[in-house]
């Protein structure tokens, strides 16, 4: 087996704003495994200043891990725990490469050259059902966010996630109030993501104001790494709290359990590129289930290569049908995305039978 690495830059159709800044382009590394006849492709996509493996010599370290896989024919999972985006890319390539051994390859019918897009045998992967997803509204000015909300609602999304923390809080509350005046919680589920934007001293007050509008949950209200403060918020907040950035860099199973036991959030939100690859996501879900903590899976601005893998992982982890909306609506972000058999129908992500 040989593994090649190709660096690629993707360009956003419109700037993607978060409380940490605005993204206009996205750098990824595609890893391709081949035996000369069959190939498998995976995506390694660390997020700048966020991923625990966002390191200056990323390509060199990735090459060393690829060399190990070439020489041993195995993925060194323990060594890759602290490099989740690399692990996720190699896991994806491995599943894609290995799918030629599956009897489903001949019936799956979605091959790109000699590369199979089948990673897991699930009804979703076979194109038999879709996965409900939330409509994502990026940060922007009041008018921009209002327009984006309208677009998502017009497309039929029943779950909308708003990035907050970029404009003044009163304007964000006004936007949420406007939605609630038109749509009841039964009609539209609202989630918000603060990306750690609230100072702890102001957080509970802001959570109380947000809770007036029957929101499903808020992601990461304060910055990560403040376990005692986050634990206090989870106890006192009238709004359910979900952890996201808090999970980054927590790669040891024992530490995962310790953190969740201390903070006790309502939910955790899992991104394979940030939270331990496919292996790490399964660990997080199992530990959370033991504690009665809910979860869902979301992409982290990957290309369609990564999105396809995340969606199929999601269907493998949660089974079918999936009823909770997942964060998998990022496939149309880039002007130069990579073709994959993914299509959004209404508020669900499907694998197309016509790719």
């Amino acid at each position: 087996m040989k593994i090649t690495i190709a660096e690629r830059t993707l360009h956003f159709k419109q700037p993607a704003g978060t409380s940490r800044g605005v993204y206009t382009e996205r750098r990824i590394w595609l890893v391709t495994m081949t035996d000369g006849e069959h190939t498998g492709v995976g995506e390694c996509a660390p997020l700048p200043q966020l991923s625990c493996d966002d390191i200056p010599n990323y390509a060199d370290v990735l090459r060393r891990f690829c060399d190990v896989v070439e020489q041993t024919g195995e993925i060194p999972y323990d060594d890759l725990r602290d490099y989740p985006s690399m692990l996720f890319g190699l896991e994806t390539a491995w599943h894609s490469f290995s799918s030629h051994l599956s009897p489903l390859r001949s019936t799956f019918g979605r091959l790109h050259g000699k590369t199979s897009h089948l990673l897991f045998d699930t009804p979703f992967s076979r194109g038999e059902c879709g996965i409900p997803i939330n409509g994502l509204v990026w940060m922007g000015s009041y008018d921009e966010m209002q327009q984006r909300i309208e677009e998502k609602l017009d497309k039929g999304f029943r779950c909308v996630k708003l990035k907050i923390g970029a404009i003044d809080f009163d304007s964000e509350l006004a936007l949420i109030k406007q939605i609630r005046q038109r749509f009841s919680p039964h009609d539209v589920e609202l989630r918000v993501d603060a990306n750690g934007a609230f100072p702890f001293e102001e957080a509970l007050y802001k959570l109380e104001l947000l809770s007036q509008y029957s929101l499903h949950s808020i992601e990461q209200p304060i910055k990560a790494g403040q376990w005692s403060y986050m634990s206090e918020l989870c106890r006192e907040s009238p709004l359910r709290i979900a952890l996201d950035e808090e999970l980054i860099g927590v790669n040891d199973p024992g530490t995962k359990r310790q953190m969740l036991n201390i903070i006790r959030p309502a939910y955790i939100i899992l991104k394979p590129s940030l939270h331990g690859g496919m292996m790490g996501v399964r660990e997080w879900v199992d530990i959370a289930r033991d504690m009665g903590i809910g979860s869902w899976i979301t992409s982290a601005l990957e290309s369609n290569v990564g999105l396809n893998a995340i969606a199929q992982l999601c269907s493998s982890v949660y089974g079918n049908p999936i009823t909770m909306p997942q964060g998998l609506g990022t496939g149309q972000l880039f002007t130069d995305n990579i073709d994959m058999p993914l299509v959004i129908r209404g508020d669900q992500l499907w694998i197309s039978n016509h790719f």
Side-chain angles (χ1 to χ4, degrees):
M1 177 204 301
K2 294 294 183 184
I3 303 177
T4 59
I5 303 171
E7 183 178 338
R8 182 163 177 171
T9 299
L10 304 174
H11 300 86
F12 284 88
K13 293 178 180 178
Q14 61 185 32
T18 75
S19 61
R20 293 183 299 273
V22 178
Y23 293 109
T24 58
E25 59 181 34
R26 182 81 162 97
R27 187 164 61 155
I28 66 171
W29 285 262
L30 296 174
V31 292
T32 302
M33 296 181 181
T34 183
D35 61 3
E37 181 180 1
H38 306 290
T39 62
V41 179
E43 176 179 356
C44 303
L47 278 169
Q49 300 177 0
L50 184 61
S51 298
C52 63
D53 56 356
D54 174 37
I55 52 178
N57 60 336
Y58 187 92
D60 294 334
V61 174
L62 177 59
R63 181 67 261 173
R64 290 201 292 271
F65 282 122
C66 289
D67 291 343
V68 172
V69 177
E70 282 183 346
Q71 294 162 11
T72 64
E74 297 179 351
I75 295 176
Y77 284 99
D78 288 341
D79 294 338
L80 278 161
R81 277 192 177 274
D82 293 331
Y83 303 89
S85 67
M86 298 184 196
L87 175 55
F88 177 58
L90 286 168
E91 286 174 310
T92 302
W94 184 267
H95 281 286
S96 174
F97 172 77
S98 301
S99 69
H100 74 274
L101 300 174
S102 169
L104 285 170
R105 182 185 173 116
S106 60
T107 59
F108 190 61
R110 286 171 290 277
L111 302 179
H112 187 67
K114 295 181 180 179
T115 304
S116 173
H117 305 303
L118 174 65
L119 306 180
F120 299 100
D121 177 15
T122 69
F124 169 78
S125 301
R126 298 192 298 269
E128 297 170 4
C129 67
I131 296 175
I133 61 176
N134 62 247
L136 178 60
V137 176
W138 291 100
M139 289 179 177
S141 68
Y142 181 93
D143 291 339
E144 287 171 337
M145 292 184 72
Q146 185 179 42
Q147 179 184 349
R148 292 167 189 169
I149 290 168
E150 293 289 343
E151 290 172 354
K152 296 300 181 185
L153 296 176
D154 288 345
K155 289 180 179 178
F157 281 94
R158 293 175 56 83
C159 177
V160 177
K161 172 180 167 179
L162 290 79
K163 294 276 190 177
I164 62 174
I167 60 178
D168 69 278
F169 186 66
D170 288 340
S171 295
E172 291 169 340
L173 280 178
L175 279 169
I176 294 169
K177 180 179 179 180
Q178 183 183 51
I179 299 173
R180 270 292 167 254
Q181 288 175 336
R182 291 178 55 198
F183 300 97
S184 72
H186 176 74
D187 296 323
V188 175
E189 179 179 286
L190 289 178
R191 301 172 178 175
V192 294
D193 182 2
N195 286 129
F198 299 164
F200 172 71
E201 295 75 15
E202 302 174 8
L204 188 58
Y205 174 66
K206 290 184 174 181
L207 293 175
E208 289 171 348
L209 293 177
L210 286 167
S211 70
Q212 301 175 78
Y213 302 107
S214 301
L215 305 185
H216 173 270
S217 58
I218 181 170
E219 295 180 34
Q220 204 66 43
I222 62 174
K223 291 185 183 300
Q226 306 176 84
W227 290 10
S228 61
Y229 284 162
M230 188 66 85
S231 175
E232 181 178 339
L233 286 180
C234 288
R235 287 196 308 271
E236 302 296 331
S237 173
L239 182 57
R240 289 174 293 189
I241 292 175
L243 303 185
D244 181 355
E245 288 92 339
E246 200 74 60
L247 312 181
I248 296 173
V250 182
N251 301 317
D252 173 72
T255 309
K256 292 177 182 181
R257 188 174 294 275
Q258 179 189 24
M259 187 192 74
L260 293 184
N261 190 50
I262 290 172
I263 297 177
R264 292 286 173 168
Y267 302 101
I268 57 174
I269 301 167
L270 298 162
K271 300 177 173 71
S273 290
L274 293 174
H275 302 138
M278 297 180 182
M279 174 190 71
V281 164
R282 292 184 188 277
E283 282 184 352
W284 277 114
V285 170
D286 288 344
I287 293 170
R289 280 175 176 162
D290 287 346
M291 298 185 180
I293 296 170
S295 66
W296 67 88
I297 293 174
T298 179
S299 54
L301 306 183
E302 292 89 355
S303 78
N304 280 336
V305 173
L307 180 59
N308 174 61
I310 295 167
Q312 292 194 47
L313 173 67
C314 181
S315 68
S316 175
V317 168
Y318 295 127
N320 295 95
I322 294 172
T323 56
M324 175 177 281
Q326 308 291 306
L328 306 175
T330 58
Q332 300 171 320
L333 290 178
F334 303 108
T335 60
D336 44 6
N337 211 330
I338 299 166
D339 287 341
M340 279 281 162
L342 299 170
V343 61
I344 294 177
R345 299 173 185 161
D347 64 348
Q348 292 194 341
L349 182 70
W350 287 74
I351 285 184
S352 173
N353 292 313
H354 305 289
F355 182 69

